[in-house]
Amino acid sequence: MNRNETPRNTPLEMLFNYNDIFFSFFYDDAHGCVHRSHDYALNHVYTGEMLLDNGQEVLRVGKGESVFIPRDHHITLYKRPADGERYCGIFMRFTRPFLREMFTRRGCRTAGAPQPEARSEAVVLPRTPELESLFTSMTPYFDPQVKPSEEFMQLKLQEGLLALLHAGRHFERMLFDFNQPWKIDIMEFLEQNYMYEFSLDELAHYTGRSLATFKRDFRKISDLPPEKWLIRRRLEAARERLREGDATVMEVAAEVGFRNTSHFSTAFKRQFGVAPTSVRNSGPLPKGDMSC
């Protein structure tokens, strides 16, 4: 059978996790997922291609390329076939405990200074011999019948970290920075990310605060609880999009973060006193009670 054919009874997606190393391949035309992780990651594309969309620009990672994804980085990944080959790749996750252990082993005296600018975006890495050797050595494990040992995968994870450190000296300062997350403006973060699903713990983490500090700081800037503020902001954004008249109610609901169109319509009518279907191409609306 040709390596790019889909065998009978094979699922469209196959994913295996071996000790924080994920092997994945997809047989359908495209596969999208939202990536949001507290951990740093290294992703290698064997075949096909991967697109990384951060909402402002799209980064393409082609066959044989590797990409570094910072921690606390919200991004949408699209994995799809290219040049007649299905997507096939490996994703390595570097957790905080693993990095602390490696930091101790390397005999480093102090953690690097925080590097907020360096953490802000994903970057395609140069094709180094270390990266190519690492990922070539793991190709046998795309076969689900061939399972590596935990010890072997642990060594590969260490090798992946060393290959990344060899690709750029700035990665050492970044990966071995164990300071608390940088405290950032809450409203600025929410304005950029209101359409995504966050727990209160995640909101606190991404804005560099403990949960208690986040709640205290949020009370200083809003009379609403964070959950209600997010719903209100989504509805306001939806109203503006509907007035543009170039998207359906279902499309707008999804854009602003509502998974259920019926729930969106109910919340919209409660907020503004009219159904969302009546807003497209209509004039200004009453502000409503804005209480959600």
Side-chain angles (χ1 to χ4, degrees):
M1 181 178 66
N2 185 286
R3 67 190 292 267
N4 295 312
E5 291 180 0
T6 304
R8 292 184 179 180
N9 301 322
T10 298
L12 296 180
E13 170 187 349
M14 298 187 73
L15 178 67
F16 309 100
N17 176 14
Y18 300 120
N19 198 43
D20 287 325
I21 300 179
F22 299 80
F23 293 74
S24 62
F25 42 105
F26 304 92
Y27 292 95
D28 52 355
D29 291 336
H31 178 88
C33 65
V34 175
H35 172 90
R36 186 176 69 229
S37 174
H38 296 337
D39 302 312
Y40 294 106
L42 173 63
N43 203 112
H44 181 80
V45 176
Y46 278 102
T47 56
E49 67 177 6
M50 181 170 64
L51 304 180
L52 296 85
D53 185 355
N54 65 8
Q56 298 179 339
E57 60 180 355
V58 177
L59 183 67
R60 180 186 179 276
V61 186
K63 179 179 179 179
E65 292 185 316
S66 303
V67 60
F68 172 75
I69 305 176
R71 65 180 174 89
D72 302 337
H73 193 55
H74 194 118
I75 199 166
T76 302
L77 307 180
Y78 297 97
K79 303 173 183 180
R80 63 187 190 183
D83 300 323
E85 296 182 300
R86 65 176 184 248
Y87 173 83
C88 188
I90 283 186
F91 180 91
M92 309 184 80
R93 182 173 64 192
F94 303 121
T95 66
R96 190 179 182 93
F98 169 77
L99 291 173
R100 279 195 174 278
E101 179 184 354
M102 293 299 293
F103 177 79
T104 302
R105 287 188 183 185
R106 288 173 61 83
C108 301
R109 295 182 180 179
T110 58
Q115 302 289 322
E117 295 85 1
R119 284 203 295 259
S120 63
E121 60 184 21
V123 58
V124 176
L125 300 170
R127 297 194 183 195
T128 66
E130 291 81 8
L131 286 170
E132 291 189 7
S133 174
L134 166 67
F135 290 113
T136 298
S137 70
M138 291 191 285
T139 54
Y141 304 109
F142 277 109
D143 182 346
Q145 303 302 317
V146 181
K147 299 185 183 301
S149 68
E150 182 177 338
E151 292 82 1
F152 184 78
M153 283 292 101
Q154 181 67 18
L155 289 175
K156 288 300 173 184
L157 201 62
Q158 295 175 22
E159 186 179 343
L161 175 62
L162 292 175
L164 185 58
L165 296 176
H166 188 271
R169 295 187 62 182
H170 63 286
F171 286 120
E172 182 164 1
R173 297 193 305 271
M174 185 190 309
L175 293 166
F176 296 144
D177 169 21
F178 303 115
N179 295 292
Q180 291 297 317
W182 280 60
K183 194 172 182 178
I184 63 175
D185 184 84
I186 291 178
M187 278 303 168
E188 180 180 349
F189 178 83
L190 291 179
E191 284 292 337
Q192 295 175 352
N193 298 280
Y194 64 83
M195 69 292 296
Y196 301 118
E197 289 293 333
F198 288 103
S199 67
L200 285 182
D201 285 332
E202 288 175 321
L203 287 174
H205 176 85
Y206 289 127
T207 57
R209 294 164 170 82
S210 67
L211 181 58
T213 301
F214 175 81
K215 291 179 178 179
R216 184 193 66 203
D217 289 353
F218 196 86
R219 284 195 295 268
K220 296 177 182 179
I221 56 179
S222 176
D223 294 331
L224 295 174
E227 300 91 337
K228 289 191 174 182
W229 186 96
L230 286 169
I231 292 175
R232 187 186 70 177
R233 183 65 184 90
R234 290 171 183 172
L235 292 172
E236 291 173 345
R239 181 174 60 175
E240 295 305 313
R241 283 289 289 120
L242 288 168
R243 283 174 171 168
E244 295 173 7
D246 61 348
T248 67
V249 171
M250 182 179 296
E251 290 170 339
V252 170
E255 284 181 21
V256 300
F258 282 89
R259 297 181 179 180
N260 186 295
T261 305
S262 177
H263 176 219
F264 165 71
S265 297
T266 300
F268 191 96
K269 188 171 183 179
R270 183 172 63 246
Q271 180 79 20
F272 301 116
V274 294
T277 51
S278 66
V279 176
R280 298 181 69 193
N281 296 318
S282 65
L285 295 174
K287 292 183 178 180
D289 63 11
M290 307 300 284
S291 62
C292 248

